[in-house]
Amino acid sequence: MLARSITLCAMLFATGAAHAAPGDTFCRQAENNINTLLDWARTTCIETAGKRAGRRSFLLIADKPMFADPRRRKGFLLVACAAAGLQMTKQGLTVDELWFSDLEHTRKEIAFVVNAQLCKQLQAQMQSGRIAVDDAYAQLSNQLDERSVSKTGK
């Protein structure tokens, strides 16, 4: 099931070109960080086309339901956001958006989207102790936008 959903998302977001090495590294490292911290679920990262030419976005999909339970939602979003933010900083990547979903929402072609720079900022602030985890989650939640992942946007 997960493989089928990931394939669907990959087709919907296909960039039309082979993955660039920085995107592959981003995904591999983000997946490793997320899957280490949330070891009861498996998250897969897919590089997608950004909103502008030459830019990229990333889709992070968990294989377990993450959005029905508020605690799971909070944990998944904070960990995935921080992992992505860390990789953007380490690699110097410019990323447009981060898309978060789980198997249940992927089947419905729904994801939750945030400007990637927010995750980069929140990760740095959490790491330095300048923001509490609950405050970081409040900022992240306020900026999340539920969107369709279908090509038509329906």
Side-chain angles (χ1 to χ4, degrees):
M1 267 314 185
L2 177 61
R4 216 166 97 198
S5 293
I6 291 170
T7 302
L8 169 67
C9 286
M11 290 186 312
L12 293 172
F13 283 97
T15 60
H19 290 301
D24 287 344
T25 301
F26 176 97
C27 278
R28 190 172 55 252
Q29 293 299 322
E31 287 171 351
N32 185 52
N33 290 341
I34 297 164
N35 292 331
T36 297
L37 292 170
L38 301 177
D39 62 356
W40 48 269
R42 185 99 181 123
T43 298
T44 301
C45 175
I46 300 170
E47 182 178 2
T48 68
K51 293 188 329 185
R52 295 177 293 260
R55 299 286 290 268
R56 60 181 60 124
S57 292
F58 292 92
L59 173 63
L60 298 156
I61 306 170
D63 69 347
K64 302 279 193 257
M66 295 293 181
F67 296 97
D69 179 330
R71 291 171 299 175
R72 280 189 175 193
R73 176 185 171 103
K74 181 179 181 179
F76 174 66
L77 288 173
L78 278 171
V79 168
C81 179
L86 179 63
Q87 290 312 308
M88 286 187 287
T89 299
K90 280 185 169 183
Q91 296 179 39
L93 286 179
T94 302
V95 178
D96 281 335
E97 295 176 320
L98 294 169
W99 294 63
F100 306 100
S101 195
D102 58 17
L103 203 51
E104 178 182 329
H105 286 83
T106 300
R107 285 185 191 119
K108 297 175 187 174
E109 298 183 351
I110 295 172
F112 300 90
V113 185
V114 69
N115 181 305
Q117 291 307 305
L118 177 64
C119 287
K120 186 175 178 180
Q121 292 165 0
L122 291 175
Q123 185 279 328
Q125 291 173 343
M126 286 188 291
Q127 183 176 9
S128 68
R130 290 179 287 152
I131 191 170
V133 171
D134 287 337
D135 294 334
Y137 180 66
Q139 284 188 35
L140 179 58
S141 291
N142 287 336
Q143 297 298 315
L144 277 178
D145 183 28
E146 183 176 322
R147 292 195 206 155
S148 169
V149 296
S150 70
K151 284 188 174 183
T152 61
K154 294 179 182 174

